[in-house]
Amino acid sequence: MSTVREPATDETLEQDVPDGRWARLLRGNTLWTFLVLVVLAIGFSVAAPLAFATPFNVRNILADSSILLVLAIGMTYVIVSAGIDLSVGSVLVFSGVIAANVMVSMGGVTAGWGGIALGTLAGLAAGFAWGVLNGVLVTKARVPPLIATLGTLGMALGLAQVITGGSDVSRVPSRLSNLIGYGLALGQVPWLAIVAALITVVFALILAFTRFGRHTYATGSNAEAARRVGIAVDRHLIKVYALSGTLAGAAGVLSLARFSTTTIAGHAFDNLSAIAGVVIGGASLFGGVGTIAGTVIGVLIPGVLRNGLIILGAQRFWLDVAVGAVLVLAVMFDQVRRRARERE
Amino acid sequence: MEPLLEARGIVKRYGHVYALREAAFSAYPGEVVALVGDNGAGKSTLVKTLSGALTPDAGEIRLEGTPLRLTGPLDAQRHGIETVYQDLALAPDLDAAANLYLGRELPRSGPLGMLGVLDRNEMRRRAVDTFGDLGIRLPDVAAPVRRLSGGQRQCVAVARAVVWASKVVFMDEPTAALGVVQRRQVLDLIRRVRDGGVTVVLISHNMPEVLAVADRVEVLRLGRRVARFTAADTSVEELVAAMTGGIEQEDAA
């Protein structure tokens, strides 16, 4: 390494302390979406004080959002890398079916922790395999991510139905559903939410602080630039899709725990919900931008909105209208602020 | 003086079309040498050959007198040869420090580093030092490069090449898309890089600019070197004449 030695002037040193951490936070997206979440929570608490802001209901929201959050974590990586993964819901179902079948063969409802662990591993492996297939299709076969994962969406769901003959596998070990599905840690926090939180924290740290995360942003921001500096872009993208698939596998096992069955027909829109969460959280579909913190908030906003509206007695069908409107508003607001920033 | 980087008899053919016909090139230690020529003269092909992006069909490249076979741009980088691309090749969503260390990130020491955790503070500190040393002024090193002006972005791209280049930096039209002030920024930067001991090979269409910043000029025409000048002893007219076939030096090829 060689640099030119010359005395630095005062002006050049100023770049060290620009306008501070707070200014950057205000410019960023996460703070604003967090405020929206807080305002929603306060609004519902005021409107329905006895029903909304109760430990029981907060547990409900957390448990309801946990599985979607795990999908959205993987989706954040994919979207930051300038891709998309439509297959997550189907991969969740497929992995759940594989995991359930393994657990059934290990004793079904009465299976022990060994069988549950083996089933979980099988589910994760199934998700990983679909993810690798997605990654290889996108990078080596040069199929656009939207199409590649639309294809695996159909294949994973179809194969899940072929394996099960179209009917759900429901002899899920009761140990799994009692602990992870309904269990509360310290009698207060759903285990489901704790598992989701652990996954979230680990992958938030990886995305923000490691070389893997940095290369994910670089690939999504300018793949050609990444390639020129020697980043193995194709291999990196395969890893990113593999991560998304593996987390969909984990979500499949969590779903087994929560519903005690494979819920084959219940995940058709999980992909869009996950994408919506990531985008509300401030990620750009063009890649290079997005954080896990944003995604957590982006998943919780529709979750809180649905829950609050139900408590206020809104007709069920209005929920989808509200969540759809929030998605569009979030992106519009972000665009306006982005343009204002460019004009600065 | 012995050339730092020397190419002889370089041939590059695309089907029946010869992009380079036994082209020659030399760059000496610590100079700015401009490579000029009309469109299609083979400048870009020659630079790609010298920076490892293309493999020549024939010819020899020597670095400090030793024959060099480059297998790719990364191989060239290992030999201390860097290229600033015309289209910048920065990641616009990452900040200047991240771009400077893109692909060569510094890990933290200890077990965290082994887990792939980056030393962001150290990279930022060193980046600030580098920009300071090079006289590059950025409003905010922590801002995404997207928010910088074209000239500032070009400076970041140049800085990245310079930090890692120990011998030669190729710059392909580094001022092409810039305004007057930004252009001057980049030209000042090129001089600073040279003063730091790194040889700069400048490819440019702008003859006054070439004469302002280069120490020597080499002229390509139809895939061959046709003339060499010392910048102080030549003129725009003479360069244009050489580029268009009016002048040909016997000993240049």
Side-chain angles (χ1 to χ4, degrees):
Chain A
M1 193 169 116
S2 95
T3 47
V4 187
R5 290 290 151 212
E6 231 179 69
T9 63
D10 288 337
E11 284 141 305
T12 55
L13 290 175
E14 267 174 33
Q15 61 196 3
D16 200 3
V17 271
D19 35 11
R21 222 165 262 253
W22 282 106
R24 208 165 298 134
L25 197 62
L26 279 177
R27 270 203 309 269
N29 203 11
T30 314
L31 182 69
W32 295 104
T33 37
F34 182 67
L35 285 180
V36 171
L37 180 62
V38 169
V39 167
L40 273 179
I42 292 175
F44 285 125
S45 304
V46 171
L50 295 179
F52 182 81
T54 63
F56 172 78
N57 191 49
V58 172
R59 281 201 288 266
N60 250 346
I61 295 176
L62 290 181
D64 280 340
S65 304
S66 292
I67 293 171
L68 183 59
L69 180 60
V70 172
L71 292 180
I73 297 302
M75 189 69 80
T76 307
Y77 276 80
V78 174
I79 286 179
V80 166
S81 78
I84 198 88
D85 187 351
L86 296 180
S87 71
V88 287
S90 297
V91 171
L92 181 161
V93 168
F94 182 90
S95 310
V97 164
I98 297 296
N101 277 337
V102 170
M103 290 178 197
V104 165
S105 74
M106 299 292 287
V109 180
T110 57
W113 286 110
I116 292 171
L118 208 61
T120 303
L121 281 180
L124 293 178
F128 174 81
W130 282 110
V132 169
L133 177 61
N134 281 333
V136 168
L137 287 175
V138 168
T139 56
K140 304 298 179 194
R142 308 237 159 269
V143 182
L146 193 76
I147 304 302
T149 59
L150 187 61
T152 49
L153 175 156
M155 288 190 271
L157 189 61
L159 281 177
Q161 285 164 325
V162 168
I163 291 170
T164 58
S167 52
D168 279 308
V169 183
S170 54
R171 291 179 51 234
V172 172
S174 53
R175 282 191 179 85
L176 177 66
S177 40
N178 286 342
L179 182 70
I180 306 294
Y182 320 114
L184 298 178
L186 306 171
Q188 290 297 328
V189 191
W191 274 106
L192 204 59
I194 289 181
V195 172
L198 282 178
I199 291 175
T200 303
V201 168
V202 167
F203 288 101
L205 292 176
I206 291 177
L207 186 60
F209 294 113
T210 68
R211 176 176 279 123
F212 186 84
R214 178 67 58 85
H215 288 183
T216 306
Y217 283 105
T219 301
S221 190
N222 186 346
E224 186 52 35
R227 222 168 260 132
R228 283 183 189 170
V229 294
I231 296 172
V233 168
D234 283 3
R235 205 176 343 141
H236 190 81
L237 284 175
I238 293 174
K239 286 183 199 164
V240 165
Y241 282 94
L243 172 64
S244 178
T246 308
L247 287 179
V253 175
L254 293 179
S255 173
L256 278 187
R258 180 158 165 74
F259 301 111
S260 304
T261 175
T262 48
T263 57
I264 291 174
H267 298 275
F269 296 106
D270 280 12
N271 51 5
L272 300 184
S273 302
I275 293 168
V278 174
V279 170
I280 292 173
S284 162
L285 286 174
F286 297 106
V289 179
T291 60
I292 299 290
T295 294
V296 172
I297 298 166
V299 167
L300 283 176
I301 286 179
V304 167
L305 197 61
R306 277 174 192 281
N307 177 284
L309 287 176
I310 290 175
I311 286 176
L312 292 184
Q315 197 195 355
R316 238 192 88 238
F317 308 114
W318 280 104
L319 301 184
D320 293 330
V321 178
V323 171
V326 165
L327 173 64
V328 173
L329 282 176
V331 175
M332 267 169 57
F333 181 63
D334 189 41
Q335 289 292 335
V336 169
R337 281 191 327 108
R338 249 171 244 240
R339 248 174 278 142
R341 212 179 328 170
E342 309 275 293
R343 275 199 299 271
E344 245 173 41
Chain B
M1 191 164 40
E2 195 193 335
L4 176 67
L5 181 67
E6 189 172 34
R8 290 192 170 280
I10 303 288
V11 176
K12 184 70 196 176
R13 206 172 57 223
Y14 295 100
H16 294 293
V17 183
Y18 281 81
L20 296 174
R21 314 162 176 256
E22 306 205 336
F25 177 76
S26 32
Y28 292 87
E31 69 168 0
V32 177
V33 53
L35 182 61
V36 303
D38 208 352
N39 287 340
K43 302 183 297 279
S44 291
T45 312
L46 181 57
V47 168
K48 281 183 184 152
T49 309
L50 295 173
S51 62
L54 283 177
T55 312
D57 298 316
E60 188 188 44
I61 301 169
R62 282 170 178 273
L63 183 66
E64 295 174 318
T66 327
L68 188 64
R69 281 227 160 269
L70 295 173
T71 55
L74 294 177
D75 191 30
Q77 288 172 9
R78 275 190 287 275
H79 285 93
I81 302 170
E82 290 278 337
T83 310
V84 181
Y85 295 97
Q86 211 168 350
D87 50 356
L88 295 165
L90 298 177
D93 300 295
L94 298 180
D95 64 32
N99 269 290
L100 206 62
Y101 281 92
L102 196 60
R104 295 181 263 219
E105 295 85 358
L106 301 176
R108 293 264 285 259
S109 54
L112 280 179
M114 280 190 264
L115 288 173
V117 176
L118 302 179
D119 196 338
R120 298 205 292 183
N121 289 337
E122 179 64 12
M123 285 191 278
R124 185 156 293 170
R125 204 184 55 72
R126 287 200 201 171
V128 169
D129 279 355
T130 302
F131 292 135
D133 290 345
L134 291 171
I136 298 169
R137 281 173 211 157
L138 301 176
D140 181 358
V141 272
V145 165
R146 184 189 294 290
R147 292 181 59 219
L148 302 178
S149 74
Q152 289 164 343
R153 265 183 279 186
Q154 187 62 268
C155 285
V156 173
V158 171
R160 178 170 71 192
V162 172
V163 168
W164 303 105
S166 51
K167 303 205 170 98
V168 186
V169 175
F170 288 97
M171 300 193 196
D172 192 355
E173 301 276 1
T175 60
L178 302 181
V180 180
V181 179
Q182 303 179 331
R183 188 175 284 250
R184 216 184 52 221
Q185 258 178 351
V186 173
L187 293 183
D188 283 347
L189 179 53
I190 291 174
R191 290 193 193 94
R192 282 210 181 82
V193 171
R194 187 237 355 242
D195 295 344
V198 174
T199 297
V200 179
V201 181
L202 172 71
I203 295 93
S204 177
H205 268 103
N206 186 326
M207 292 307 132
E209 184 177 293
V210 162
L211 290 181
V213 75
D215 301 305
R216 285 193 319 109
V217 185
E218 302 215 342
V219 184
L220 274 187
R221 188 170 163 271
L222 302 174
R224 288 171 55 240
R225 178 167 71 188
V226 293
R228 289 189 275 187
F229 299 103
T230 306
D233 304 335
T234 187
S235 62
V236 172
E237 289 73 25
E238 205 172 17
L239 290 181
V240 172
M243 281 162 60
T244 53
I247 298 178
E248 198 151 333
Q249 296 171 347
E250 293 287 318
D251 61 340

